[in-house]
């Protein structure tokens, strides 16, 4: 009888334990985590607009939960920062250090986050090249993404447009690639401009290409340019003819592209136009999407054509998981920009689009992102929902001049017209947050995260020019005074350092660079310290401000397997300063410092302590000084998943604890020149 009683008791205990387990699993299955990733949301502006009563949802969230600044990445560039967030590691762990990396053997620059390689094995038949193996598309970010840990536990997830995730890592959940996704030509976005105006010289412009059109009375013909035909020996460019017939009296025209015809008025944007580029007529083709903007019909014809985007309804490259997710979205909400950075800032900088035209294009991008957000938030039931918005960042870059009277490109008329532009986009973010909070219940955690803040960009510091003037970068004899660059004009037998990328400075290191002369070890260490100290002492004689407020040494700022691939020094600029555009790709302008008169008037690629991001939550944050590397552990903890040892942070909702590991990794770099 005792034995039977023990068995019965054991059965009851097992049943209770089973019910508890099922209850816990049920509770975990109903857990909801909503994360709004808002690129470039600045804590100073957010506090200002909240104090002025313009951000009621943000104010309410901060009042019942938390609002803190969020330590950004070193350097505070978007692909680096979002990779920190995704992996819970710094750049030494995930291998993304800048928008631009370089091959040390050749110094060839390349985009840091992804790589597309053609087929290695081909069969040549006359002028045709038949690939015998598939090409390769690789994500260069290392480390397991936080949502892959959720996948391992079968937790539902939706991750839309997160940067540094092209091609998207394998996942059972719904993911759509964001920043880093190329256009169909393989770059970050190349627009085209078609005109019969002789004032425009055919050929490359900043961010695009100008093409002539043929005009006969009111009939105009041109070509839309696509990717290279890699199946032909000469790799000719694939083109699609288009024709335009102007109305003889009205500012309107009929466009004919392939089998499509549509009408546009002057100053009107087209809907998405689907293009089919045929490698082999009738056999092999890929499709893309573009938007047309009819700038002018008379007296000259002027037509802007957006970069040709990957068609989400038939992607030529992987842009989503599962593969049919992008197709489903296109079916449900219509075509949308798949290009990673969709706002065409280069067209504004080049003068192809004016302020009003750019703003209309940028708003098209926002409306599409809003449509995707509305659709996917409505479908969200439980698990993780992450959505990324780009509008604050891209419009902040181009229209900071409208709120900064000290900007060389400030204009009172522009300020009167567009001084509220950024405020309006912040208020749009508040509306989106309100929608997210509308899905909140007692099992829901809501986070708002930005990767960095923002600052004015008033003056350019040409790093390579400074290196030349201080004897670290030596030019060959006969180097021209204008149009110089490190690739053609450096004397590598005497050059000890060079700049490449937005924050990177490299030593010309022996056994690493092709013609390196600096010995690793003591010599390199001493040179790093010397350059860092001298950069920290640079003062702008125009206003007596310190130009560079910190210089981080990679060996002390980073930890992980890829530290050796980092720039040796990461230059942190003061607010108001940034590296000059020419220096980013190895240029050597005539002057070290010059005014930035470009529309691109706001930035964040500077001293990371000057441009923190934001973190808001509907729960109290316990961590002191939270960082981007804490976000992945926080997300895992919300679903009861312990963070792996590779992640450097911890959940922001845990009781504050010593952060010795991270502090030790950067203690030396924090003592860099200020």
């Amino acid at each position: 009888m005792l034995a039977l009683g023990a068995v019965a008791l054991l059965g009851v205990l097992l049943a209770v334990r089973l019910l508890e387990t099922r209850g816990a699993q049920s509770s975990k299955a109903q857990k909801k985590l909503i994360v709004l990733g808002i690129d470039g949301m600045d804590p100073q502006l957010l506090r200002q607009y909240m104090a002025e009563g313009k951000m009621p949802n943000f104010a309410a969230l901060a009042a019942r939960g938390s609002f803190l600044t969020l330590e950004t990445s070193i350097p505070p560039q978007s692909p680096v920062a979002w990779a920190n967030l995704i992996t819970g590691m710094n750049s030494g762990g995930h291998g993304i250090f800048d928008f631009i990396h370089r091959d040390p053997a050749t110094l060839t620059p390349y985009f840091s986050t992804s790589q597309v390689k053609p087929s290695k094995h081909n069969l040549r038949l006359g002028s045709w090249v038949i690939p015998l193996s598939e090409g390769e598309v690789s994500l260069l970010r290392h480390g397991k993404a936080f949502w892959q840990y959720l996948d391992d536990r079968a937790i539902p997830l939706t991750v839309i447009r997160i940067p540094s995730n092209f091609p998207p890592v394998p996942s059972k959940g719904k993911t759509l690639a964001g920043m880093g996704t190329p256009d169909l030509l393989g770059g970050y976005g190349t627009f085209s401009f078609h005109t019969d105006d002789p004032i425009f010289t055919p050929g490359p412009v900043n961010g695009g290409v100008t093409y002539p059109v043929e005009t006969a009375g009111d009939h105009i013909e041109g070509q839309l340019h696509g990717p290279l035909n890699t199946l032909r020996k000469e790799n000719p460019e694939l083109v699609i003819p288009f024709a335009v017939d102007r109305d003889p009296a009205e500012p309107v025209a009929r466009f004919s592209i392939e089998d499509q015809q549509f009408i546009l008025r002057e100053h009107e944007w087209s809907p998405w136009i689907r293009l089919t580029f045929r490698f082999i007529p009738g056999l092999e083709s890929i499709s893309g999407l573009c938007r047309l903007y009819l700038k002018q019909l008379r007296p000259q014809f002027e037509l802007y054509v957006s970069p040709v985007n990957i068609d989400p309804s038939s992607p030529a490259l992987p842009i989503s998981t599962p593969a049919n997710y992008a197709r489903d979205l296109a079916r449900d909400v219509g075509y949308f920009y798949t290009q990673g950075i969709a706002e065409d800032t280069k067209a504004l900088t080049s003068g192809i689009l004016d302020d009003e035209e750019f703003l209309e294009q940028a708003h098209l991008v926002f409306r599409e992102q809003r449509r995707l957000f509305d659709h996917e938030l409505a479908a969200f039931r439980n698990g993780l929902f992450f959505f990324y918005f780009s509008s604050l960042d891209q419009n902040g870059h181009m229209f900071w001049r409208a709120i900064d009277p000290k900007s060389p490109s400030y204009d009172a008329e522009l300020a009167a017209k567009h001084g509220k532009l950024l405020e309006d986009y912040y208020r749009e973010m508040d509306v989106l947050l309100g929608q997210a909070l509308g899905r909140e219940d007692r099992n829901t955690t809501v986070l708002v995260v930005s990767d960095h803040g923002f600052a004015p960009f008033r003056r350019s510091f040409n790093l390579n020019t400074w290196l030349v003037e201080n004897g670290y970068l030596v030019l060959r004899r006969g180097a021209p005074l204008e149009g110089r660059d490190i690739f053609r004009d450096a004397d590598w037998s005497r050059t000890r350092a060079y700049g490449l990328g937005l924050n990177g400075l490299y030593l010309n290191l022996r056994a690493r660079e092709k013609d390196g002369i600096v010995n690793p070890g003591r010599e390199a260490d001493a040179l790093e310290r010397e350059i860092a100290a001298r950069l920290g002492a640079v003062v702008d004689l125009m206003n007596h401000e310190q130009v560079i407020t910190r210089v981080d040494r990679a060996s002390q700022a980073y930890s992980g397997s890829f530290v050796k691939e980092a720039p040796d020094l990461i230059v942190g600029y003061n607010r108001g300063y940034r590296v000059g555009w020419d220096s980013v790709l190895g240029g050597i302008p005539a002057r070290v410092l010059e005014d930035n008169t470009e529309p691109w008037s706001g930035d964040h690629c500077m001293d990371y302590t000057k441009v923190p991001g934001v973190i808001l939550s509907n729960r109290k944050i316990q961590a002191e000084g939270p960082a981007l590397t804490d976000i992945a552990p926080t997300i895992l903890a919300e679903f009861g998943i312990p963070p792996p040892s590779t992640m450097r942070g911890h959940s922001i909702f845990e009781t504050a604890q010593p952060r010795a590991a991270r502090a030790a990794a950067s203690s030396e770099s924090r003592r860099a020149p200020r």
Side-chain angles (χ1 to χ4, degrees):
M1 292 293 291
L2 288 174
L4 288 174
V7 170
L9 179 60
L10 180 60
V12 170
L13 291 173
L14 287 173
V16 170
R17 182 62 181 271
L18 182 61
L19 288 172
E20 288 176 346
T21 301
R22 286 178 176 172
Q25 290 175 342
S26 174
S27 174
K28 198 172 293 183
Q30 296 306 311
K31 174 68 183 178
K32 292 194 292 189
L33 174 59
I34 299 174
V35 184
L36 302 187
I38 304 178
D39 203 311
M41 178 166 269
D42 180 70
Q44 293 183 33
L45 286 183
L46 180 57
R47 286 194 182 99
Q48 175 188 331
Y49 298 145
M50 287 168 59
E52 292 170 353
K54 296 167 181 173
M55 308 281 286
N57 290 308
F58 273 85
L61 182 64
R64 65 187 173 98
S66 292
F67 168 21
L68 299 173
T69 59
L70 186 67
E71 182 181 298
T72 184
S73 57
I74 306 174
Q77 298 181 31
S78 292
V80 184
W82 290 106
N84 278 23
L85 183 149
I86 288 168
T87 64
M89 299 187 287
N90 63 38
S91 292
H94 57 65
I96 305 298
F97 300 96
D98 199 291
F99 269 101
I100 303 295
H101 286 181
R102 96 297 181 226
D103 179 349
T106 63
L107 298 191
T108 303
Y110 61 90
F111 292 131
S112 62
T113 57
S114 62
Q115 186 176 52
V116 179
K117 292 182 179 179
S119 170
K120 293 181 179 179
H121 306 288
N122 302 292
L123 173 65
R124 295 181 181 273
L125 297 174
S127 63
W128 292 94
V129 179
I130 311 301
L132 300 178
S133 62
E134 291 187 358
E136 183 181 351
V137 185
S138 303
L139 174 66
L140 300 181
R141 173 183 57 74
H142 300 275
K144 193 170 180 178
F146 64 79
W147 61 88
Q148 291 181 295
Y149 293 97
L150 273 57
D151 258 347
D152 294 341
R153 305 293 183 95
I155 295 169
L157 60 95
T158 301
V159 178
I160 307 292
R161 294 188 59 81
I162 196 167
S164 298
N165 188 46
F166 171 82
V169 294
S171 174
K172 304 180 189 73
K174 299 187 297 183
T175 72
L176 181 68
M179 183 185 296
T181 306
D183 63 10
L184 207 60
L185 276 64
Y188 274 173
T190 303
F191 66 83
S192 59
F193 182 63
H194 306 261
T195 184
D196 59 0
D197 190 339
I199 197 172
F200 291 98
T201 303
V205 294
N206 184 18
V209 183
T210 296
Y211 295 103
V213 296
E214 297 293 330
T215 304
D218 285 325
H219 183 75
I220 300 161
E221 293 186 354
Q223 292 181 324
L224 301 176
H225 295 254
L228 300 179
N229 188 347
T230 54
L231 300 185
R232 298 296 296 268
K233 189 182 295 183
E234 304 83 6
N235 288 350
E237 200 173 45
L238 291 166
V239 296
I240 293 174
F242 71 86
V244 182
D245 291 292
R246 293 184 284 209
D247 186 282
E250 296 295 324
V252 63
R254 181 179 69 245
F255 283 73
S256 301
I257 302 175
E258 296 186 294
D259 59 351
Q260 305 165 85
Q261 288 195 342
F262 54 93
I263 303 294
L264 285 182
R265 299 187 68 84
E266 267 189 346
H267 314 305
E268 184 179 8
W269 288 86
S270 76
W272 283 109
I273 306 301
R274 193 170 191 263
L275 307 174
T276 302
F277 295 97
R278 293 173 172 81
F279 292 93
I280 303 175
L283 292 176
E284 188 74 24
S285 65
I286 58 173
S287 63
L289 302 175
C290 69
R291 282 188 184 273
L292 282 59
Y293 175 71
L294 184 54
K295 277 182 69 76
Q296 182 173 287
L297 276 172
R298 293 184 178 84
Q300 279 76 40
F301 176 78
E302 294 181 359
L303 176 71
Y304 162 91
V305 179
S306 75
V308 181
N309 280 235
I310 295 170
D311 177 3
S313 68
S314 181
L317 293 171
I319 60 171
S320 71
T321 65
N324 63 355
Y325 178 49
R327 299 186 183 96
D328 293 343
L329 284 174
R331 179 198 63 211
D332 293 342
V333 304
Y335 291 139
F336 51 87
Y337 280 96
T338 54
Q339 175 192 334
I341 303 177
E343 295 88 347
D344 203 340
T345 58
K346 294 296 186 185
L348 176 55
T349 300
S350 299
I352 298 301
L353 296 180
D354 63 24
D355 286 343
E356 306 304 321
E357 291 162 344
F358 168 80
L359 287 174
E360 191 172 353
Q361 189 268 337
H363 202 63
L364 287 172
V365 175
F366 175 70
R367 288 204 300 267
E368 286 186 356
Q369 291 182 6
R370 177 71 182 269
R371 197 163 67 240
L372 286 170
F373 176 78
D374 291 346
H375 179 270
E376 289 303 283
L377 184 65
F380 175 62
R381 296 293 176 266
N382 60 290
L384 170 71
F385 178 86
F386 180 104
F387 202 101
Y388 165 90
F389 292 96
S390 62
S391 294
L392 292 189
D393 181 81
Q394 294 299 295
N395 287 280
H397 281 305
M398 306 313 288
F399 283 91
W400 201 265
R401 57 198 162 107
I403 62 171
D404 178 21
K406 294 182 179 180
S407 171
S409 53
Y410 176 82
D411 176 81
E413 184 178 344
L414 175 80
K417 195 169 189 178
H418 296 304
K420 297 292 186 183
L421 172 72
L422 290 180
E423 176 187 315
D424 289 343
Y425 270 113
Y426 270 78
R427 296 176 80 160
E428 292 278 11
M429 296 302 114
D430 191 73
V431 173
L432 294 167
L433 175 60
Q435 288 181 243
L437 294 175
R439 301 301 308 277
E440 184 183 11
D441 60 25
R442 63 186 181 86
N443 290 321
T444 304
T445 300
V446 177
L447 294 177
V448 179
V449 180
S450 74
D451 53 338
H452 51 68
F454 245 80
F457 171 24
R458 300 169 185 146
R459 297 270 282 166
S460 293
F461 179 80
N462 293 312
L463 178 59
N464 282 316
T465 309
W466 182 89
L467 291 170
V468 169
E469 291 191 0
N470 287 271
Y472 299 109
L473 174 57
V474 180
L475 302 180
R476 62 176 175 82
R477 287 184 180 181
L481 295 177
E482 300 289 337
R484 301 174 298 181
D485 65 55
I486 63 173
F487 310 106
R488 184 185 61 248
D489 299 309
D491 179 349
W492 294 106
S493 68
R494 296 188 292 161
T495 288
R496 292 181 290 162
Y498 62 96
L500 205 61
L502 285 153
N503 295 89
L505 188 153
Y506 297 87
L507 303 187
N508 188 25
L509 203 62
R510 191 182 302 277
R512 184 183 70 181
E513 271 74 6
K514 180 182 178 182
D515 300 304
I517 63 170
V518 177
N519 292 311
R522 288 186 179 181
E523 183 182 349
D525 182 72
L527 184 58
E528 284 184 15
R529 293 179 184 277
E530 177 185 317
I531 293 175
R534 294 184 69 178
L535 283 171
V538 174
V539 173
D540 187 348
L541 297 180
M542 190 186 79
N543 53 27
H544 306 290
E545 290 188 7
Q546 185 177 3
V547 175
I548 294 162
T549 48
R550 68 179 301 117
V551 179
D552 289 289
R553 303 176 70 193
S555 58
Q556 296 160 350
Y558 303 135
S559 61
S561 304
F562 300 97
V563 175
K564 291 184 178 180
E565 297 181 12
D568 299 292
L569 297 175
I570 303 95
V571 182
Y573 298 94
N574 198 0
R575 288 178 69 90
Y577 295 88
R578 206 208 69 179
V579 72
W581 284 112
D582 287 341
S583 286
V584 173
L585 292 177
I588 309 171
R591 292 182 295 176
V592 172
L593 280 161
E594 52 192 351
D595 279 346
N596 170 36
T597 58
E598 302 266 349
W600 188 290
S601 50
D603 214 286
H604 45 82
C605 300
M606 44 193 64
D607 178 344
Y608 78 97
T609 66
K610 306 286 187 183
V611 283
V614 303
I615 177 74
L616 294 96
S617 174
N618 62 346
R619 295 171 55 191
K620 292 294 182 183
I621 294 173
Q622 302 298 323
E624 295 180 7
L628 280 168
T629 47
D630 292 323
I631 303 304
T634 300
I635 291 172
L636 299 190
E638 286 300 283
F639 294 97
I641 303 172
S645 59
T646 55
M647 290 187 177
R648 300 186 51 75
H650 58 80
S651 171
I652 60 174
F653 301 123
E654 293 176 0
T655 303
Q657 53 184 268
R659 306 170 66 91
R662 193 177 73 198
S666 59
S667 61
E668 283 294 322
S669 64
R670 290 175 192 273
R671 293 198 290 270
R674 295 175 181 272

